[in-house]
Amino acid sequence: MFPFCLFKEQMKKIFGNTSGLKPNQIKRLEKLYEHRVPSSSIIDYDYTKRISSLSKEIKRQLGIFIDRSGKIAYIVIGDSNRINIPDLSDYASAKGRLISLRYIHTHLKHEPLSEEDLTDLSLLRLDAVGAITINDFGLPEKIHIGHISPDSFNKNPYQIFPPFPPSQIDIKFDEVIKLLESELEKSWDNIKKDTGKERCILISVTTKSKRIAQESMIELESLSISSGIEVIDTIIQHKDSINPKFLMGKGKINEISIVALQKGATLLVFDQELNPSQIRSITDYVELKVIDRSQLILDIFAQRARTKEGKLQVELAQLKYMLPRLISHKPVLSRLAGGIGTRGPGETKLEMDRRRIKERIAFLEKAINSVQKQRGIEKSKRAKQNIPIVSIIGYTNAGKSTLLNSLTKSDVFVEDRLFATLDPTSRRIKFPQNIDVIITDTVGFIKDLPKDLLVAFRATLEELESADILLHVVDMNDNFYESHIESVEHILEELELKHIPTIMVFNKQDKAETERNDYIKNTHKDSVLISANDSSTLIPLINKIVDLLHVIDKIQK
């Protein structure tokens, strides 16, 4: 009997703002749990009268959560303007499904469904939301009902019905919900047939120009694809000023959460770097994973690292990025309720995680310092041999590894995607006039390269300090090649490598239009145009390298 009694008491709990209520009012509120709504109705008229009368008497909004069997799951008291929703985690929804609860509550000021009502509807994935307006006699006047639209092409993310007199609600609720979930599940059934990829919505909230924002989003999409993520939608929002808490307004986040539900998204990827506070605010608001551009790049590096050194560097960068972003969640009574933002480590575990991460960072830094010392020894050996070093640099996916393969007759892994290769490669070859040269290929650069990644890969990038010549490879067929050049030159400046003689090498000449070829020849007169996969086009480049090595040799003598 004891467990049953305990359950019965728990079910009679009145949530929310009960202070100041009379014992008789509390008892009448508790008796509301005893009612059973017909499963085919969203709510029955007699029940709306009881709710409206009590709400008018206590001068507070009164909310009822009803499950699909018609059973009353929660009764919540608010103030005159709003209701704080309790923890609904017992009804957490599966992917592609609604939460199996409808939320009916009173409005004391004759207002229809509010923005907060629609936010609750989407973020909590409620079956439906309804607002009952009350007349001066405490009787229900109208009921306003809405549910999520299952159609991802519908500009309005909600289906809102015209207001009904509560005695004439002409909605067969069980049929509406069955159809709604069937439509939502169709998209998830299709997803299950896929390869199990994450499905993301790309988001940019920016004050920059339309051209710059679009360029950045095209690159973010390429990064997502390179990481194995399926992009299902992109959203660019131009703003005069950025919301410091959410980047965008709550209304926009609400829209995005519905699009995610409709299209089966599992992940939001922001083009802007999110600080720890912003990540917490957004993840508290939407039931989706949230990452930013930097985290996406780190994930790609983690996938691509092959050598022990590369894995050490990537892990260090990831941990340094993660440490300030470890999120603590405390269950609180809020509108977001339920599982949204409340799942995560406890405080004790969080502190343990922080301590272990700091210990691991210290270990990795020592290991990378050891690698750095070993590189120093190798540099000294090469310096004694007096063999010139030519390092290939450039924006990611510009064709650096292809050029290395063509110059040295090697078979370094090549693929048409961002950051296909990470680990540096060196090959020794003999140029004309019996000149031995070491050609090195380094990790590709990218705009806004995460600082932690730049620091972690400094041991690798310091190899460039030993270079006698840098070959800056540019994909001339990329519409944004000029901004890519700027990004690479900015990183070279950060690494204090601008003093090293550099040859600009425009790659993929065979794919570029004649006008672009002519334009580049006129604007970059000291550059060389090549097709890296065609060794016959490399002769002018090799001659230019040899000539520059002779000049450097004379200067040094």
Side-chain angles (χ1 to χ4, degrees), residues 326-330 344-356:
L326 284 178
I327 299 174
S328 159
H329 293 295
K330 297 178 182 178
E347 290 300 312
T348 304
K349 184 178 184 299
L350 200 65
E351 289 307 314
M352 288 173 62
D353 288 343
R354 286 197 179 103
R355 186 168 63 252
R356 286 170 183 160

Side-chain angles (χ1 to χ4, degrees), residues 193-204:
K193 294 173 186 175
D194 291 341
T195 56
K197 289 182 178 180
E198 289 270 23
R199 290 165 61 89
C200 77
I201 297 174
L202 305 182
I203 303 167
S204 174

Side-chain angles (χ1 to χ4, degrees), residues 318-354:
Q318 284 184 313
L319 291 178
K320 283 190 170 182
Y321 178 89
M322 186 192 304
L323 185 59
R325 290 169 172 81
L326 284 178
I327 299 174
S328 159
H329 293 295
K330 297 178 182 178
V332 291
L333 196 66
S334 71
R335 297 197 66 79
L336 300 184
I340 299 176
T342 62
R343 291 184 289 270
E347 290 300 312
T348 304
K349 184 178 184 299
L350 200 65
E351 289 307 314
M352 288 173 62
D353 288 343
R354 286 197 179 103

Side-chain angles (χ1 to χ4, degrees), residues 10-70:
Q10 184 180 2
M11 289 307 297
K12 282 195 171 185
K13 179 179 178 182
I14 307 300
F15 296 87
N17 180 24
T18 58
S19 62
L21 295 180
K22 299 174 183 177
N24 175 263
Q25 291 170 332
I26 294 286
K27 189 173 181 179
R28 285 155 62 203
L29 286 166
E30 288 175 344
K31 284 186 71 67
L32 291 174
Y33 273 115
E34 298 173 6
H35 188 80
R36 181 70 69 111
V37 176
S39 59
S40 61
S41 302
I42 190 162
I43 193 168
D44 57 273
Y45 182 51
D46 287 342
Y47 202 49
T48 60
K49 287 197 293 184
R50 290 173 64 188
I51 293 168
S52 301
S53 175
L54 262 170
S55 179
K56 182 74 173 177
E57 180 182 328
I58 63 177
K59 298 179 181 177
R60 303 177 196 186
Q61 288 191 9
L62 170 56
I64 310 292
F65 286 87
I66 309 167
D67 70 18
R68 291 186 189 173
S69 69

Side-chain angles (χ1 to χ4, degrees), residues 193-419:
K193 294 173 186 175
D194 291 341
T195 56
K197 289 182 178 180
E198 289 270 23
R199 290 165 61 89
C200 77
I201 297 174
L202 305 182
I203 303 167
S204 174
V205 185
T206 180
T207 59
K208 295 179 181 178
S209 70
K210 185 178 180 180
R211 185 191 67 81
I212 292 173
Q214 287 178 335
E215 174 190 342
S216 190
M217 283 295 272
I218 289 170
E219 185 169 87
L220 187 67
E221 183 170 1
S222 295
L223 285 167
S224 300
I225 293 168
S226 187
S227 182
I229 299 170
E230 182 182 351
V231 178
I232 60 172
D233 203 356
T234 59
I235 295 169
I236 299 177
Q237 189 177 43
H238 295 275
K239 296 183 74 69
D240 294 330
S241 60
I242 302 297
N243 184 318
K245 187 173 183 180
F246 295 104
L247 267 72
M248 62 184 72
K250 288 185 179 180
K252 193 66 177 177
I253 295 179
N254 187 29
E255 285 179 28
I256 289 170
S257 70
I258 293 177
V259 171
L261 177 61
Q262 292 169 330
K263 296 188 176 183
T266 58
L267 178 69
L268 303 183
V269 182
F270 281 81
D271 194 33
Q272 289 70 35
E273 183 165 331
L274 303 174
N275 62 41
S277 173
Q278 288 166 338
I279 289 177
R280 175 166 184 166
S281 297
I282 296 168
T283 52
D284 275 352
Y285 209 73
V286 296
E287 195 176 333
L288 293 165
K289 285 185 285 185
V290 176
I291 65 172
D292 60 19
R293 178 189 181 90
S294 294
Q295 198 168 352
L296 180 60
I297 293 173
L298 287 169
D299 180 73
I300 295 171
F301 271 60
Q303 291 180 43
R304 304 285 190 276
R306 294 289 178 267
T307 64
K308 181 181 177 181
E309 177 189 349
K311 290 176 181 178
L312 287 173
Q313 290 166 327
V314 172
E315 186 184 354
L316 177 62
Q318 284 184 313
L319 291 178
K320 283 190 170 182
Y321 178 89
M322 186 192 304
L323 185 59
R325 290 169 172 81
L326 284 178
I327 299 174
S328 159
H329 293 295
K330 297 178 182 178
V332 291
L333 196 66
S334 71
R335 297 197 66 79
L336 300 184
I340 299 176
T342 62
R343 291 184 289 270
E347 290 300 312
T348 304
K349 184 178 184 299
L350 200 65
E351 289 307 314
M352 288 173 62
D353 288 343
R354 286 197 179 103
R355 186 168 63 252
R356 286 170 183 160
I357 287 174
K358 287 176 181 177
E359 290 170 356
R360 183 65 179 169
I361 286 173
F363 170 80
L364 292 171
E365 286 176 336
K366 286 180 182 177
I368 290 174
N369 285 336
S370 176
V371 170
Q372 225 167 348
K373 288 177 183 177
Q374 183 61 36
R375 284 190 177 278
I377 294 170
E378 291 171 2
K379 283 182 191 177
S380 299
K381 288 179 181 178
R382 287 201 297 263
K384 288 177 182 177
Q385 293 175 342
N386 201 28
I387 301 174
I389 298 172
V390 177
S391 290
I392 303 173
I393 62 167
Y395 211 79
T396 180
N397 206 33
K400 299 183 302 300
S401 297
T402 303
L403 177 57
L404 177 73
N405 285 341
S406 295
L407 284 172
T408 64
K409 305 294 188 274
S410 303
D411 57 354
V412 173
F413 176 76
V414 172
E415 191 174 353
D416 184 17
R417 63 175 176 174
L418 303 188
F419 300 117

Side-chain angles (χ1 to χ4, degrees), residues 496-513:
E496 299 179 355
L497 299 172
K498 291 281 284 184
H499 63 282
I500 299 175
T502 302
I503 298 173
M504 190 79 74
V505 183
F506 285 92
N507 187 25
K508 306 184 185 180
Q509 178 188 20
D510 54 320
K511 296 180 180 179
E513 295 178 356

